[in-house]
Amino acid sequence: VQLQASGGGLVQAGGSLRLSCAASGRTFSDYVAGWFRRAPGKEREFVAFITWSGSGRYYADSVKGRFIISRDNAKNTVYLQMNSLRPEDTAVYYCAADRNYANYRTAGEYDYWGQGTLVTVSS
């Protein structure tokens, strides 16, 4: 499956953005999906995860209550709605997918990755 992330941009603190991750090449409902991010000078970190049908959703503590992950399998797309953005949310955001998962917080669990989209939050 090929993944294409989009929706990044520049936003003021307290604002919102919605990222999209469009999948192609396979039946997307056969894949779980996650969002990760890499801030300047930092390691890539887990942000959010969603199961095949969307019935299971999990978040990093740093974004819980502010970010919402969702998916529309008819459109082969996963979304990340980001609200109440903070300067520390500034990062390149990546979507990832895999057929199965053992530890959804681990980047190495995912076989497929999008190219990343930059989110910059100004104070």
Side-chain angles (χ1 to χ4, degrees):
V1 65
Q2 291 81 46
L3 303 175
Q4 179 78 32
S6 62
L10 174 64
V11 63
Q12 288 188 332
S16 298
L17 279 176
R18 188 177 80 158
L19 305 184
S20 299
C21 177
S24 61
R26 293 288 187 271
T27 303
F28 191 49
S29 57
D30 289 343
Y31 295 80
V32 298
W35 286 95
F36 288 76
R37 67 186 181 186
R38 176 173 283 160
K42 295 188 176 181
E43 297 288 322
R44 182 170 47 184
E45 66 174 357
F46 166 75
V47 175
F49 170 83
I50 191 165
T51 55
W52 301 269
S53 66
S55 59
R57 309 181 193 194
Y58 304 95
Y59 300 91
D61 288 344
S62 59
V63 307
K64 199 173 297 182
R66 300 188 298 122
F67 291 12
I68 300 171
I69 189 171
S70 62
R71 67 189 298 161
D72 185 340
N73 286 335
K75 295 183 178 179
N76 292 337
T77 303
V78 173
Y79 304 97
L80 186 68
Q81 177 67 43
M82 305 186 296
N83 302 318
S84 301
L85 282 161
R86 305 167 180 169
E88 54 263 40
D89 294 318
T90 294
V92 177
Y93 283 72
Y94 300 88
C95 58
D98 204 283
R99 287 187 173 273
N100 297 290
Y101 70 97
N103 185 348
Y104 57 82
R105 296 176 180 270
T106 302
E109 294 285 326
Y110 298 83
D111 285 341
Y112 306 99
W113 289 84
Q115 85 290 1
T117 184
L118 176 63
V119 172
T120 304
V121 184
S122 63
S123 57

